[in-house]
Amino acid sequence: MHIEVPPFGVISGAQVQRTLQGQEREVVALMEAAYRAHGNGDTVNPPSYFLRFPDRPTARIIALPASLGGESQVDGLKWISSFPENVAAGIPRASAVLLLNDRTTGYPMACLESSIISASRTAGSAALAADALTRRHGRPRRIGFFGVGLIARYIHTYLAGTGWTFDEVGVYDLLPEHAAGFGDYLGRSGAGKVVLHESAEDLIRSSDLVVFATVAGTPHVTDPSWFDHHPLVLHISLRDLSPEIVLDSVNIVDDVEHCLKADTSPHLAEQLSGNRDFLHGTLFDVLEGRAPDHDGSRTLVFSPFGLGILDLALGKHVYDRLSAAGELTVVPDFFHELSRYGTGG
């Protein structure tokens, strides 16, 4: 059997952004296909590995290896860092690369700048969940963003790009200047009525859909009464809610084993309760009609760990688009030693 080593391509963030710009509906469809492949057992998605630093306790770098079947047929690794101190220096908190491996030979075939892919797949996943969880009972009219970084901006973009509109958009951040900056962005994007809230409680009580997109490492929202109006919560940052709030809610996750690790809010709820009875299903279960959606009778919390297969789905999509257009930048002779016994004589 004759097989060839694939050429090695490098894909810049600018190329990624050009490829995905305005493609929100297509990205959400890719996320749904990846979740369905995962739910049907056509993926390998082992636990993520967290690299932490004793001298830099707020920082971490995470490795997410994965394999995705379905139409994508790709293996790979996402390597993403989170250095919150970057924000004070005026640069983004997170940076990332994504390696795609050829399914036949195992050789890496591309390295992509992946902060945009990561933000897009996170936002696409959130938009998919928001739609799936509200199809039967109607979309919320008031949204609140708790945390206003890149992820919050992308989630707003993906909701708007998939047909969501709101009567009111609330904003809260621990740093008022960041909240004001996000409010300015919302105004420029035509979001409609924008309200900057002075407290987390005001934001939550004023929102029917709450998006948590913070860098919190431990729960900081602890009062279940703030949720007495039973909103839908996109708990993207995973560690904002106290276990008591989680236990008082309907809970949907993207993957049970991944979400109940690393002291996430659902993990803390499991430790407090001693069981997993508070989990009501996965997003795949919701898509298949086997799990509850948001009917307003109880707070519903969607907690996505963020699976590596989502990055692979989006990265392979970008790779295929650029390859088909002849725009893939190939590194000549990247793989040099390809003869098992050498070529000398």
Side-chain angles (χ1 to χ4, degrees):
M1 180 178 65
H2 176 72
I3 58 174
E4 294 185 356
V5 172
F8 185 76
V10 176
I11 298 174
S12 71
Q15 289 178 297
V16 172
Q17 188 171 57
R18 284 197 300 270
T19 304
L20 298 180
Q21 191 80 34
Q23 302 299 306
E24 291 85 10
R25 293 183 185 276
E26 187 171 13
V27 171
V28 171
L30 286 168
M31 298 301 95
E32 179 170 354
Y35 277 123
R36 289 189 181 278
H38 187 61
N40 289 319
D42 199 11
T43 66
V44 181
N45 206 111
S48 304
Y49 182 82
F50 286 71
L51 177 61
R52 301 185 185 276
F53 314 97
D55 60 330
R56 291 158 286 164
T58 64
R60 67 190 183 194
I61 308 180
I62 311 173
L64 290 83
S67 176
L68 176 61
E71 294 185 4
S72 295
Q73 297 291 315
V74 65
D75 311 322
L77 173 75
K78 174 184 177 181
W79 183 239
I80 182 166
S81 66
S82 174
F83 279 54
E85 304 302 322
N86 287 352
V87 176
I91 61 176
R93 168 188 61 86
S95 59
V97 293
L98 177 68
L99 290 174
L100 303 181
N101 291 75
D102 176 58
R103 191 81 166 210
T104 301
T105 65
Y107 273 75
M109 60 187 189
C111 177
L112 299 83
E113 194 285 329
S114 200
S115 66
I116 295 170
I117 286 175
S118 185
S120 298
R121 66 85 151 145
T122 300
S125 167
L128 172 65
D131 178 63
L133 291 165
T134 59
R135 285 174 188 172
R136 288 198 307 151
H137 301 283
R139 291 179 168 182
R141 301 302 308 164
R142 301 177 302 168
I143 187 172
F145 287 91
F146 194 140
V148 295
L150 180 73
I151 297 300
R153 175 161 60 85
Y154 267 71
I155 290 174
H156 173 262
T157 297
Y158 270 74
L159 290 173
T162 52
W164 287 72
T165 59
F166 299 98
D167 298 331
E168 182 176 301
V169 181
V171 179
Y172 174 77
D173 193 89
L174 293 177
L175 296 176
E177 61 269 28
H178 290 176
F182 191 66
D184 289 342
Y185 152 74
L186 291 170
R188 295 193 307 272
S189 68
K193 182 181 179 182
V194 178
V195 179
L196 303 184
H197 291 275
E198 296 184 356
S199 73
E201 180 179 0
D202 285 345
L203 175 88
I204 293 168
R205 290 187 182 276
S206 301
S207 304
D208 307 310
L209 171 60
V210 183
V211 179
F212 284 96
T214 74
V215 295
T218 56
H220 54 99
V221 177
T222 59
D223 189 343
S225 72
W226 293 5
F227 300 85
D228 282 347
H229 59 302
H230 303 315
L232 172 62
V233 179
L234 300 180
H235 190 207
I236 307 303
S237 34
L238 278 178
R239 295 173 176 84
D240 302 277
L241 303 178
S242 70
E244 291 80 7
I245 292 173
V246 172
L247 294 173
D248 197 44
S249 304
V250 173
N251 290 278
I252 303 295
V253 297
D254 59 352
D255 182 277
V256 173
E257 296 303 326
H258 281 77
C259 281
L260 270 64
K261 283 188 173 72
D263 289 335
T264 64
S265 295
H267 188 203
L268 296 178
E270 179 189 31
Q271 295 174 49
L272 180 62
S273 66
N275 59 62
R276 298 180 173 184
D277 295 345
F278 61 91
L279 293 181
H280 296 80
T282 65
L283 181 55
F284 176 67
D285 294 326
V286 175
L287 293 169
E288 291 289 297
R290 298 195 301 257
D293 55 9
H294 184 245
D295 63 4
S297 64
R298 292 183 65 187
T299 300
L300 191 151
V301 178
F302 173 61
S303 299
F305 189 84
L307 303 175
I309 57 167
L310 304 181
D311 300 274
L312 290 185
L314 203 47
K316 183 62 160 43
H317 170 75
V318 171
Y319 174 87
D320 288 344
R321 283 288 181 91
L322 293 174
S323 296
E327 298 177 5
L328 184 66
T329 301
V330 174
V331 180
D333 300 321
F334 185 83
F335 299 111
H336 182 61
E337 277 284 3
L338 295 177
S339 174
R340 183 172 184 180
Y341 300 108
T343 56

